């Protein structure tokens, strides 16, 4: 087991007692801080996945916060191989502390970044250009910062005598098998999500799992999928509406990450009042001397935005974070 470091050159490990105050601080920067804010909140409330949070040694004067790992699984399964970062967009000069962090982050090795605000990524690119190359996958964060629950109260009419139920652990295998990016995600993630968070499926009259959607360990709504033979029955918007209501009632801010080209998902969430807040980027940072080498291993980390079954679009290597949802209307 890799040793947990109490501090780096510019960052220190956060004590659990500090997390609620940090959540409140990040709340001042919504919606830009949405993904990191909700990750912290899910960690404190539900402890679905293990993260280690670091802040600058003079926090909050320089408000840069990191969490390791940045994904559930990386090629070498190293704790500090991946991370996620947030910094207020009006204090991006503070990211120089990230550039000079050579204890927690080994910039001579490939680094895997979870979905990160595009303005933060621009600053990272500025200093990383002299180190290596960056492969990027774009997503748009759509959220419902002021949910109107009364709009979610209308009766949900499910076609063909199907019914909606909370998923059970035994459903994790089929979800993982049909998950378009299952090479990046371990089945244990789905088992933990089903155990601790709202994860719902629509079951046919014959008892088959026809469609499903879950809340993730970073607060987002993701992994919406409908089996091909059950599409065009409105199951997608029923699940999205139901999960939006539950996520809100549990004190979370509903959000998803959608690929820019995924018009079906934009249409679906647009009907529920979701608005685009910012562009986010998932990336692999690879030093120049390694840029031509083949990647190994699998990643992990659940994607909010995933292609329809049987229509998977290639992802960048072993990136993880949030996969693409194909909206089912």
């Amino acid at each position: 087991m890799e040793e947990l470091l109490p501090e780096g050159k510019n960052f220190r490990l956060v004590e659990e007692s500090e997390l609620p105050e940090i959540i409140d601080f990040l709340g001042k920067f919504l919606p830009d801080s949405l993904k990191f804010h909700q990750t912290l909140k899910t960690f404190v409330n539900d402890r679905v996945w293990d993260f280690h949070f670091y802040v600058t040694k003079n926090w909050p004067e320089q408000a840069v916060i990191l969490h390791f790992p940045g994904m559930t699984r990386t090629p070498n399964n190293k704790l500090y191989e991946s991370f996620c970062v947030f910094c207020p967009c009006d204090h991006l000069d503070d990211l120089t502390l990230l550039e000079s962090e050579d204890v927690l982050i080994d910039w001579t090795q490939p680094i895997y970044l979870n979905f990160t605000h595009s303005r933060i990524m621009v600053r990272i690119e500025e200093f990383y250009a002299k180190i290596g190359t960056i492969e990027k996958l774009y997503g748009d964060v759509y959220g419902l910062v002021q949910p109107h629950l009364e709009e979610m109260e209308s009766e949900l009419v499910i076609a063909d005598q199907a019914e909606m139920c909370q998923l059970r652990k035994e459903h994790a295998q089929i979800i993982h098998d049909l998950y378009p990016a299952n090479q990046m995600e371990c089945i244990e993630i789905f088992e933990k999500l089903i155990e601790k968070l709202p994860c719902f499926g629509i079951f046919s009259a014959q008892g088959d799992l026809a469609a499903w959607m879950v809340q993730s360990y970073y607060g987002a709504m993701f992994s919406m999928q409908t089996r091909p033979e059950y599409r065009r029955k409105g199951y997608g918007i029923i699940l999205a509406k139901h999960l939006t209501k539950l996520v809100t009632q549990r004190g979370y801010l509903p959000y998803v990450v959608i690929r820019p080209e995924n018009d079906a998902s934009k249409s679906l969430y647009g009907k529920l009042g979701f608005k685009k807040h910012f562009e986010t980027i998932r990336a692999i940072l690879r030093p120049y001397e390694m840029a031509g080498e083949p990647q190994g291993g699998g990643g992990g980390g659940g994607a909010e935005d995933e292609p329809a079954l049987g229509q998977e679009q290639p992802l960048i290597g072993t990136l993880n974070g949030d996969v693409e949802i194909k909206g089912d209307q």
Side-chain angles (χ1 to χ4, degrees):
M1 179 70 180
E2 192 172 0
E3 178 186 3
L4 182 64
L5 301 175
E7 64 177 29
K9 179 178 180 180
N10 302 315
F11 296 85
R12 64 170 180 84
L13 185 65
V14 173
E15 299 289 339
E16 286 232 11
S17 60
E18 299 177 86
L19 293 177
E21 184 177 347
I22 292 175
I23 291 172
D24 290 341
F25 179 83
L26 292 178
K28 299 175 184 178
F29 302 98
L30 291 169
D32 285 340
S33 64
L34 186 58
K35 192 171 189 293
F36 211 110
H37 178 269
Q38 296 292 281
T39 298
L40 257 169
K41 194 165 188 176
T42 310
F43 178 80
V44 169
N45 293 343
D46 301 295
R47 203 56 59 98
V48 179
W49 204 256
D50 289 330
F51 291 112
H52 304 289
F53 298 91
Y54 289 79
V55 295
T56 55
K57 292 182 178 180
N58 63 341
W59 174 276
E61 284 74 21
Q62 291 179 294
V64 183
I65 182 170
L66 315 173
H67 74 65
F68 299 88
M71 54 185 90
T72 58
R73 188 173 55 188
T74 56
N76 301 303
N77 290 314
K78 293 181 179 179
L79 177 58
Y80 295 99
E81 190 170 30
S82 67
F83 69 94
C84 191
V85 56
F86 175 75
C87 177
C89 289
D90 57 351
H91 287 80
L92 294 178
D93 287 343
D94 290 342
L95 289 172
T96 56
L97 295 174
L98 187 65
E99 176 182 2
S100 60
E101 179 55 57
D102 57 5
V103 176
L104 299 176
I105 303 170
D106 184 356
W107 295 108
T108 69
Q109 297 297 315
I111 297 293
Y112 301 82
L113 276 179
N114 253 30
F115 273 121
T116 299
H117 197 295
S118 59
R119 291 182 62 186
I120 296 174
M121 185 61 71
V122 167
R123 297 305 289 265
I124 292 174
E125 286 185 271
E126 289 176 0
F127 72 77
Y128 196 78
K130 63 180 180 291
I131 300 173
T133 62
I134 300 179
E135 295 181 61
K136 295 180 287 187
L137 183 67
Y138 292 86
D140 294 325
V141 171
Y142 282 73
L144 199 59
V145 174
Q146 294 182 319
H148 299 288
L149 285 182
E150 62 274 10
E151 297 178 6
M152 307 296 167
E153 296 289 350
S154 57
E155 183 179 358
L156 300 175
V157 180
I158 305 177
D160 300 336
Q161 297 183 317
E163 63 176 344
M164 182 168 51
C165 303
Q166 169 75 24
L167 295 171
R168 299 186 301 275
K169 189 174 180 178
E170 58 263 32
H171 298 128
Q173 185 66 61
I174 188 171
I175 291 174
H176 183 263
D177 288 347
L178 297 176
Y179 188 59
N182 58 14
Q183 79 280 5
M184 305 192 320
E185 197 65 276
C186 58
I187 190 172
E188 185 184 3
I189 281 289
F190 291 99
E191 292 175 344
K192 286 177 176 282
L193 292 176
I194 289 170
E195 177 187 0
K196 297 190 175 185
L197 295 175
C199 300
F200 279 80
I202 293 180
F203 294 82
S204 71
Q206 294 73 38
D208 295 329
L209 179 56
W212 53 89
M213 188 177 191
V214 306
Q215 183 183 356
S216 79
Y217 55 88
Y218 42 85
M221 296 157 50
F222 91 118
S223 191
M224 179 195 288
Q225 292 175 258
T226 302
R227 285 179 161 176
E229 62 268 32
Y230 292 105
R231 291 188 185 142
R232 301 301 173 188
K233 298 179 182 293
Y235 291 165
I237 198 164
I238 288 172
L239 284 166
K241 182 179 289 189
H242 185 66
L243 207 66
T244 297
K245 176 182 173 182
L246 289 179
V247 164
T248 303
Q249 288 176 334
R250 298 183 75 245
Y252 292 95
L253 297 173
Y255 78 97
V256 293
V257 177
I258 302 176
R259 292 276 191 88
E261 69 275 11
N262 192 340
D263 293 332
S265 286
K266 293 177 186 178
S267 174
L268 187 154
Y269 288 104
K271 293 175 182 177
L272 299 180
F274 283 66
K275 304 292 184 184
K276 178 181 174 179
H277 293 307
F278 59 89
E279 182 182 66
T280 185
I281 297 172
R282 187 175 64 186
I284 297 176
L285 285 65
R286 191 177 289 105
Y288 285 123
E289 61 269 23
M290 297 183 174
E293 296 179 8
Q295 291 177 246
E304 295 108 275
D305 188 25
E306 65 203 8
L309 297 178
Q311 299 180 12
E312 181 179 356
Q313 300 175 14
L315 298 174
I316 301 176
T318 55
L319 285 177
N320 51 21
D322 324 282
V323 184
E324 177 182 357
I325 305 171
K326 180 71 173 181
D328 173 64
Q329 304 180 63

